[in-house]
Amino acid sequence: MNIRDITTRIKWKEGASAATKKRAIQRIQTMANAIEIQFPEVRFCNQIKLKHMKFLTEAWFDNEGLAPTTMGDYTRSMRLMIKALDKDRHWFGHLGLIQDRTRGGRQVVSRVTKTRSRNRR
């Protein structure tokens, strides 16, 4: 699956290393490919729905035998992917991805732009 629409909306902080960017994009690509293999009718990233993300969290993570830290890395990339698809308000609650800001966590090195077409000439 081509994830160019997702990756173009991700903006990285200046301090983000190339390895961090590459790993996050590779994880997003891996998840998109897993969705495309399980659901062949999904050929483009704008066709991804909540049920596809639930498949990743409920079945794919377990079937791949991922370590807990690796699952955390994939979960962070999934959050980034969902934000880039502009579905975070609706899907985070269903997927249990709402973060408690008082607990802390890793420093965020990326953000997602809302639209690319604004102020374009």
Side-chain angles (χ1 to χ4, degrees):
M1 181 183 309
N2 186 352
I3 61 167
R4 191 187 71 209
D5 292 340
I6 293 173
T7 57
T8 54
R9 296 190 65 197
I10 299 171
K11 302 299 176 203
W12 301 94
K13 285 188 178 179
E14 285 185 34
S17 69
T20 301
K21 296 175 193 178
K22 182 180 175 183
R23 279 193 304 263
I25 291 171
Q26 282 178 341
R27 286 187 199 106
I28 291 171
Q29 183 69 58
T30 302
M31 289 186 288
N33 290 342
I35 289 171
E36 189 175 20
I37 289 169
Q38 183 67 25
F39 304 96
E41 68 275 5
V42 179
R43 304 202 43 220
F44 303 101
C45 57
N46 63 348
Q47 293 176 313
I48 296 174
K49 297 181 181 176
L50 177 61
K51 69 177 183 179
H52 304 126
M53 291 296 171
K54 282 188 176 184
F55 157 74
L56 288 176
T57 58
E58 295 170 1
W60 188 74
F61 282 173
D62 292 335
N63 291 341
E64 290 296 307
L66 301 175
T69 54
T70 307
M71 281 182 17
D73 293 338
Y74 272 99
T75 302
R76 276 186 291 283
S77 295
M78 181 185 291
R79 290 178 58 79
L80 193 59
M81 183 179 186
I82 292 170
K83 283 182 183 179
L85 291 170
D86 201 26
K87 305 288 186 181
D88 50 332
R89 263 194 358 236
H90 309 289
W91 292 3
F92 277 6
H94 292 286
L95 295 169
L97 295 176
I98 296 175
Q99 288 181 318
D100 183 10
R101 297 213 182 263
T102 60
R103 289 184 59 204
R106 289 194 182 190
Q107 197 173 27
V108 178
V109 294
S110 62
R111 65 181 175 83
V112 175
T113 58
K114 290 294 179 187
T115 61
R116 294 180 337 147
S117 60
R118 221 177 260 170
N119 298 326
R120 265 172 98 178
R121 295 188 189 227

